[in-house]
Amino acid sequence: MRAYLPDYHLRAPKTLSDALELLAREPGMWRAFAGGTDLMVLLEFGALKHKNFLSIRHLPELRGIEVTPEHVTLGALTSYTEIQRDADVRREFPLLCAAARETGGIAIQNRGTLGGNVVNASPAADSPPALLVYDAELELVSASGTRRVAYRDFHTGYKQMDMRPDELLRSIRLPRTTGDLHTYYRKVGTRKAQAISKICFAAGARLASDGRIRDARIGLGSVAPTVVRCARTEDVLRDQTPDEATIKAACASLVQEIVPIDDMRSTAEYRARVAANLLADFLSTLKIDGGKSDSA
Amino acid sequence: MSDEEMSREADVRCTVNGTTHTLRVRPMARLLDVLREDLHLTGTKEGCGEGECGACSVLIDGELVNSCLVPVLQVEGAQVQTIEGVTAGGAELHAVQQAFIECGGAQCGICTPGMVLAAVSLLAHTPQPTDADIRHGLAGNLCRCTGYMKIFDAVVRACERAGVKA
């Protein structure tokens, strides 16, 4: 059933400090509303439980892509379209571009934001596995200051986050240390556009001159209550050559490390099998290309 | 709290198809409903109401969006273009519309306004799209009559026409 509109309040504070002041004055009363591509769907179904929202789309402090020698920092309101159009992001963070290109369709990509994808905290979101591979760091702002959280520590349970009700996500910061990673991104859904993923796989690694794997990074969506970095499987791969035995051991580790479920989109069995298949595919491209080309 | 906050209504100023409006609205009202019910611009259709089908596509500041997912407060100060506005006021159809007619790119017609706007948006950003570009550009618009091939043909024809004009 459609929501009863007079129940809902949406305000557009003039400045970031106005927004932060409102959030601080009445903690939990207001929630941020950015592109609306998730929240408006809930509204239409009459399932948007929270009633009071602050529209933050127009706040310039939350926009823009900033490049310094060490980092590329994306404002929380950076849209999926802006991600794809940015030359620096395209060159250095191809997994994030691939994720942005496969999120929704063009209309969703124009409206949906990277920050919204993070704080909506869906385990099936498309960009978080890429952010995990890139060791993203979040900048949270509030009236009492700013703090940084490593993205891999941010999601603490299903839809649970290390974020207070008086805080806003200001930006997502990516260290510029991964430009030479061999990367691999695959979203598996019922169709290429619009589908919510059955499984989402982002990975990166380097192959050293001795043919051994260095710095393997595996991020997965839709296989656990949160998006996950698969550290145990990364350990299995460390300093190994990507041969059949390594691939077999890594796949065996991965299916132990993830905890997929049966739901409306897929089954636990399918997700585990496909996760292992994608890992095997990634590792075999690593073997063939020697970490030089880029399949993302 | 001001009276405005108490009444939970807001004045939103925006330009729709070149005409500036000040709309007294519920701020969370869907742009789709405001266009259809307040401004009587019923060319914008509702399909799924959840951003999956693209029937409600409009352009905001030149970018394609699903108007069912936009709370009207967020078009404050924006330029909105609907299917009624693509001809720029003249009697002549837009090249994309003419191509849809010539190629039979419409069956029941519900998806057509959204398809046309998605195609207009695609050609604005990618004037010479490949077949893959066209499929990607229209992937957020569903045609439940499944008339996709003729729709794709229409986009190709619109490009050819634009090429001739240039």
Side-chain angles (χ1 to χ4, degrees):
Chain A
M1 196 179 67
R2 190 174 285 184
Y4 180 60
L5 277 184
D7 284 348
Y8 289 89
H9 208 168
L10 180 66
R11 291 177 64 178
K14 284 206 170 53
T15 65
L16 177 62
S17 56
D18 287 351
L20 296 178
E21 195 186 310
L22 274 167
L23 290 171
R25 197 191 307 157
E26 301 166 284
M29 167 87 170
W30 299 98
R31 279 196 199 165
F33 192 111
T37 52
D38 283 302
L39 295 176
M40 289 299 279
V41 175
L42 295 176
L43 180 81
E44 176 60 14
F45 287 155
L48 187 58
K49 294 200 179 87
H50 202 79
K51 296 291 192 287
N52 302 303
F53 292 90
L54 297 181
S55 179
I56 56 170
R57 257 189 74 81
H58 56 292
L59 299 177
E61 295 92 336
L62 309 180
R63 288 206 162 273
I65 298 175
E66 189 187 294
V67 180
T68 65
E70 287 81 33
H71 299 99
V72 169
T73 303
L74 301 106
L77 294 175
T78 305
S79 71
Y80 302 107
T81 299
E82 289 165 337
I83 288 170
Q84 294 171 75
R85 284 180 187 161
D86 189 273
D88 292 303
V89 176
R90 277 214 306 271
R91 189 174 57 248
E92 293 183 44
F93 304 102
L95 294 172
L96 187 57
C97 283
R101 188 177 158 84
E102 295 198 20
T103 302
I106 303 293
I108 299 287
Q109 291 166 18
N110 285 338
R111 202 75 189 167
T113 67
L114 183 60
N117 210 208
V118 167
V119 301
N120 187 52
S122 166
D126 296 326
S127 54
L131 296 179
L132 286 170
V133 167
Y134 290 133
D135 283 336
E137 203 175 53
L138 307 182
E139 184 194 3
L140 301 169
V141 289
S142 69
S144 52
T146 295
R147 68 185 177 106
R148 294 187 184 284
V149 182
Y151 182 53
R152 65 187 298 169
D153 300 328
F154 181 65
H155 297 293
T156 54
Y158 179 71
K159 293 262 180 186
Q160 303 295 305
M161 291 166 275
D162 177 10
M163 187 173 176
R164 302 190 311 263
D166 67 326
E167 285 179 314
L168 279 180
L169 174 59
R170 200 199 80 76
S171 64
I172 298 102
R173 190 165 90 164
L174 305 175
R176 298 179 70 186
T177 55
T178 56
D180 60 336
L181 276 189
H182 172 91
T183 58
Y184 181 100
Y185 181 87
R186 273 292 293 276
K187 170 179 172 175
V188 179
T190 46
R191 64 185 284 251
K192 279 189 176 168
Q194 299 291 53
I196 296 174
S197 68
K198 297 170 188 285
I199 183 165
C200 182
F201 182 99
R206 292 184 180 87
L207 211 56
S209 54
D210 61 3
R212 293 176 189 276
I213 298 168
R214 301 276 190 277
D215 204 12
R217 301 157 178 227
I218 302 163
L220 274 168
S222 295
V223 297
T226 69
V227 287
V228 285
R229 237 329 254 274
C230 298
R232 294 213 303 272
T233 303
E234 293 172 6
D235 286 343
V236 168
L237 289 168
R238 185 163 300 121
D239 296 329
Q240 303 299 308
T241 51
D243 54 22
E244 289 307 316
T246 301
I247 291 174
K248 203 173 163 194
C251 291
S253 164
L254 189 68
V255 297
Q256 291 302 309
E257 189 164 9
I258 60 178
V259 284
I261 57 168
D262 293 343
D263 67 12
M264 63 192 287
R265 282 188 286 279
S266 189
T267 64
E269 188 187 358
Y270 177 86
R271 286 172 159 131
R273 186 176 297 187
V274 172
N277 288 349
L278 293 175
L279 178 59
D281 194 38
F282 163 58
L283 294 171
S284 53
T285 60
L286 191 62
K287 185 171 61 177
I288 292 161
D289 300 342
K292 288 191 186 69
S293 80
D294 200 320
S295 61
Chain B
M1 250 183 205
S2 69
D3 291 347
E4 194 165 286
E5 286 165 16
M6 291 301 288
S7 70
R8 299 195 173 181
E9 288 191 349
D11 286 330
V12 171
R13 276 159 303 146
C14 61
T15 303
V16 180
N17 301 332
T19 305
T20 303
H21 297 272
T22 300
L23 302 162
R24 185 85 181 154
V25 287
R26 301 277 182 199
M28 196 69 102
R30 305 183 303 174
L31 175 61
L32 169 65
D33 296 326
V34 174
L35 290 172
R36 288 180 57 87
E37 292 168 18
D38 296 21
L39 297 177
H40 302 162
L41 294 170
T42 54
T44 304
K45 305 304 181 192
E46 174 159 19
C48 66
E50 55 174 299
E52 296 279 350
C53 78
C56 67
S57 299
V58 301
L59 305 180
I60 297 181
D61 295 330
E63 298 283 8
L64 189 74
V65 304
N66 297 310
S67 63
C68 74
L69 297 184
V70 177
V72 67
L73 188 74
Q74 291 191 338
V75 297
E76 170 69 35
Q79 301 270 347
V80 180
Q81 194 181 14
T82 70
I83 190 66
E84 289 89 347
V86 297
T87 60
E92 198 182 334
L93 293 176
H94 189 282
V96 169
Q97 291 173 305
Q98 190 59 42
F100 268 66
I101 292 172
E102 290 171 15
C103 296
Q107 292 184 49
C108 83
I110 288 285
C111 75
T112 310
M115 286 286 183
V116 168
L117 283 163
V120 167
S121 166
L122 170 69
L123 298 185
H125 291 107
T126 313
Q128 298 295 325
T130 62
D131 283 353
D133 291 336
I134 293 171
R135 285 164 184 263
H136 183 68
L138 301 187
N141 294 73
L142 303 184
C143 168
R144 291 300 78 180
C145 309
T146 69
Y148 292 105
M149 297 314 295
K150 290 184 174 182
I151 291 168
F152 297 150
D153 290 347
V155 179
V156 171
R157 175 153 325 183
C159 298
E160 290 167 356
R161 182 81 35 82
V164 170
K165 273 185 183 168

